[in-house]
Amino acid sequence: MNARPSPGMDVATLYFLIRCMPDRETRQEYEEALLEGQRRGNPGEYLASWIRGRIEQCIANLLAVLEARQIPLPDAERKRITSCRDSAALDRWFRRALTATTLDEVFAEEDEAAVDRVAGG
């Protein structure tokens, strides 16, 4: 399933998408945001705004770790990070950045998967 929560979705659809998330902790965070949106009377809009904020925080955290670890970040890779809207990818990159010594280590799996898709593997 490639659907993502959006402002126009009804609460049942949003809840279903959240329940399909594999990570229990992430599911719980999204459920809490959805409930807060329901309390405020605009669950879809609130959840979409909450997701945007979460993604922006993930990006900021990742950039801060790369800077603190003094890992060079060329413009193309900075754009790759700042334009990413996949919180799972940002979380993976962040966890890798905590121990990585190069940017290649941060992006390793995604780069290998892209090569495999192009090669038909």
Side-chain angles (χ1 to χ4, degrees), residues 54 78 92 116:
R54 184 177 191 279
R78 178 177 293 278
R92 272 193 314 277
D116 287 345

Side-chain angles (χ1 to χ4, degrees), residues 4 21-23 26 30 51 54-55 58-59 62 84-96 106 109-110:
R4 294 176 185 232
M21 294 176 173
D23 178 57
T26 301
Y30 276 65
I51 291 169
R54 184 177 191 279
I55 286 173
C58 288
I59 290 169
L62 176 55
C84 182
R85 294 298 172 256
D86 181 348
S87 62
L90 290 165
D91 286 341
R92 272 193 314 277
W93 297 343
F94 175 79
R95 285 192 304 276
R96 290 183 198 148
V106 174
E109 286 182 22
E110 281 79 10

Side-chain angles (χ1 to χ4, degrees), residues 43-95:
E45 290 177 25
Y46 182 86
L47 186 59
S49 176
W50 180 84
I51 291 169
R52 283 191 301 273
R54 184 177 191 279
I55 286 173
E56 291 304 317
Q57 188 61 57
C58 288
I59 290 169
N61 291 344
L62 176 55
L63 293 174
V65 167
L66 293 171
E67 181 180 340
R69 295 189 49 76
Q70 298 179 349
I71 296 175
L73 187 60
D75 289 342
E77 282 75 13
R78 178 177 293 278
K79 182 171 180 159
R80 179 178 182 178
I81 292 169
T82 59
S83 64
C84 182
R85 294 298 172 256
D86 181 348
S87 62
L90 290 165
D91 286 341
R92 272 193 314 277
W93 297 343
F94 175 79
R95 285 192 304 276

